[in-house]
Amino acid sequence: MATNMSISVKATITVKLTVGGFLSSLFKLSYRLDDISDLLGKSFLLELVSAELDPNTGLEKKPIGRYARRAGKKDGEGTYVTNFVVPGDFGEIGAVLVQNELRNELYLKHIVLNGLPNGPIAFICSSWVQSKFGNPEKRIFFSNKAYLPSQTPNGLKGMREKELISLRGNGEGERKTSDRIYDYDVYNDLGDPVSKTELGRPVLGGSKNYPYPRRCRTGRPRSKTDPQTETRNVSFYVPRDEDFSEVKRASFLTKTADSVLHAIIPSLQTSLIDSNLGFPSFSDIDDLYYQRIAIPKLKNQGLLQRVVKAVSDAKEDLVKFDTPAMFDKDKFSWIRDEEFSRQTLAGVNPYSIKLVREWPLKSALDPDVYGPAESAITKELVEQEIKGFMTLDEALEQKKIFIIDYHDLLLPYVRKVRQIEGTTLYGSRALFFLTPDCTLKPLAIELTRPQMDGKPQWKQVFTPGLEATGCWLWRFAKAHFLAHDSGYHELVSHWLRTHCATEPYVIATNRQLSAMHPIYKLLHPHLRYTMEINALARQVLISADGIIETSFSTRSYSMELSSVAYDQLWRFDKEGLPADLINRGIAVEDPTAPHGLKLLIEDYPFANDGLILWDILKQWIADFVNFYYKDASMVQSDTELQAWWTEIRIRGHEDKKDEPWWPLLNTPEDLIGIITTIAWVASAHHSAVNFGQYALAGYFPNRPTIARTNMPCEDPTREGWNKFLDKPESELLICFPSQIQATLVMAILDVLSHHSPDEEYIGKHMEAAWGEEPDIKEAFGRFSARLKELEKIIDSKNADSSLKNRGGAGVVPYELLKPFSEAGVTGKGVPYSISI
């Protein structure tokens, strides 16, 4: 706009019409007043902001303002228009200021300016704009073009900083639903001592005893019962734009996970005589999928539609659970040891198995407190199991012995957990041997009770037996170990390493990176909805007496255990896939191998597919980063970027801020590594541990979440041992989760495994801001094409009968890292972000 002649510019504002807004407009006076404002042509005040300073004053040019009028509505969207006369010397338009003149918030999708000499300018808003009557501050929206801080047009520098300051807040007061403030706090809202004293829980974060990542600050008042604990409201604050889209919210159990607790689960509970009652037989478990189950009348009938399959022609409320994929293919597969081993590589928790690097196995815990440190898994026992293959020394030298080891993590909690009725716990580890066909053979499971209550340490090793008693004890040992693995999966592999660790990235990105910043635009899709789903988790999943505490072995100590895992195990520099595999001894660096790594377990479906996806993701991020950062000096001089990375370390993960392993941020290569790790955790890592849950754990004998009784051989009474010998199946069913625990977890896993109809899959659709630069647009095209190739590669591998860990008769094929999916419970699809 270098001409002296004024030009006419037409602005079109597009808003999303919400179901809530439409229904409310029928009844609320405020919506009727808004209709009047629309008719008067005063719905929005829109101001155009020049990217240039006034050459005479050196100050920002005065914005040009006009009111917008309603022009129409179509396909769930409303449009508002206005016209500007822009002076020829106004300069490039770099931002718009918006004030909502109505009395209700509106979801602003985008603004497009037409009539400019260089073509239209688009402003992607995707934001709730509050009424000026509640918040008179005008909202700032920048154009889609990205700028590093040093490249910001002079006329926009002040607004860039002003917007970041408004998002940071001042750390005071209780947050309102309409706020857009991002700040940090510790996890001091998991307990509810106001309701019951026994529901008090330790604060996670901010202490040496309970280190933890930070969550979003809500500012709620402290409990009078426990001043360290924040009071719990009906809703948990998240910044307004972090809320689910209306489509996603509707698909999330028709409304929210809250529906499960407040409608479905109480109904199931009242239909059962005893909340501790187990299933009488395996056929009763099967009936959950085969038979229609009568459910009492609910206040809101629609809430059942997502969790269970409603039977439309029934006269009563008769429902049944969807059949999990594993049960559908082979309902007896859970019994097979081969499937038990296969799922360590191709199941929902592929992050625990690691190479045995030292022998003999030994605990690092204090033997004076917990008993002898030496494992009961001896060389002789292992060689008995692998005879015909090689000796133990040969197996260790050839890196053929692998382990999943929860012994030292769980053992300190055994005494505490055993004081809770209806559960038990052991320190546990499972040992595996890598056979010549790349499958894992289970060798042994060791269960340990520490010395406690005047009794010496108890430990025993169980192996796959051929005789009846040994065979049944092995099944019990597997049930206990799988309950521990299920707990570790949900609390560590899933919650801690993805949901919890990512929330500080969301907060820091919004506080320190302007919406104009290219890295903000790159990261934004990877951070959508995470804060909302985490807030819902704090409400119903991980809270005191929530789903985890009522249905998993570690019960009220579950979240405390995740704090211990964070302290002992979490390192940012090991969260990327290649570093994780090397850390677990599963891979070694090899420049001649694909991806620069040689896998010791060549048929490791999660790692095989994951490394391809990692490379595709890293290349896209490298193309993006290298476009904006030509050398190290540009990274080092980027004030917003440096503040962002500093804040993630010293505030978001404050309890680990002094660790020496945090990556430096000095070069484009450093930045590529950091961003790839964050993007991997939010997309592929989360998908790998989340979207297969109902398929593989919806039939709970395959992955019980709790073992309720001790091993039959631990200090047995004559009567107890005889019961086991007489009816071992009945005793195993008593050990399994109760009916209410099982159905509760099944319902939740079904919801968590579900893709929303508006799911945003990695590489499927390009962000509008990425299309502003031809080079970035071209790079995204390559990224998307490679992801489509990955789909074909995975299909081809699953069809290869030589890859025994990927498929076979009655085996669910490994598809968790296939990038794309349709809506529903599909066992595939990699969304950009942790959104469920």
Side-chain angles (χ1 to χ4, degrees), residues 202 204 209-210 413 416 556-565:
L204 303 186
N209 290 335
Y210 302 111
Y413 284 89
K416 298 176 183 178
S556 57
Y557 296 98
S558 295
M559 292 305 292
E560 183 179 322
L561 187 72
S562 73
S563 170
V564 174

Side-chain angles (χ1 to χ4, degrees), residues 519 522 526 573 576-579 582 589 595-597 609-627 667-681 683-684 762-763 776 779-780 782-784 786-787 790 832:
I519 299 303
L522 175 60
H526 289 291
D573 63 330
L577 181 61
I582 292 170
E589 293 186 76
H595 323 293
L597 291 180
D609 298 352
L611 285 170
I612 299 174
L613 183 50
W614 170 273
D615 281 356
I616 294 171
L617 184 62
K618 186 175 182 180
Q619 184 59 59
W620 152 243
I621 291 170
D623 290 342
F624 192 101
V625 167
N626 288 328
F627 177 80
T667 68
E669 290 72 26
D670 295 339
L671 180 57
I672 291 164
I674 290 168
I675 299 296
T676 305
T677 296
I678 292 173
W680 166 265
V681 168
S683 57
I762 187 170
I776 298 298
F780 180 83
R782 295 192 296 270
F783 175 51
S784 184
R786 291 188 69 191
L787 290 169
L790 175 58
Y832 276 109

Side-chain angles (χ1 to χ4, degrees), residues 92 189 288 320 339 347 724 744 831:
E92 181 182 352
D189 63 347
L288 293 172
K320 63 179 179 179
E339 184 63 14
F724 164 69
L744 171 58

Side-chain angles (χ1 to χ4, degrees), residues 164-176:
L164 284 174
I165 290 172
S166 71
L167 291 169
R168 292 170 193 151
N170 60 9
E172 298 177 358
E174 184 172 358
R175 298 273 63 86
K176 302 189 299 290

Side-chain angles (χ1 to χ4, degrees), residues 22-74:
F22 172 74
L23 294 176
S24 298
S25 67
L26 299 178
F27 306 105
K28 287 188 177 179
L29 175 61
S30 61
Y31 280 93
R32 296 174 190 170
L33 293 173
D34 285 351
D35 289 339
I36 295 172
S37 297
D38 281 339
L39 291 173
L40 295 175
K42 288 192 173 183
S43 306
F44 287 100
L45 174 62
L46 188 65
E47 296 180 351
L48 306 183
V49 178
S50 174
E52 301 175 4
L53 295 176
D54 187 320
N56 297 319
T57 65
L59 303 175
E60 296 173 356
K61 292 183 178 181
K62 183 179 179 181
I64 304 171
R66 293 280 294 177
Y67 285 103
R69 67 187 184 279
R70 186 168 65 184
K73 56 184 178 181
K74 184 180 180 182

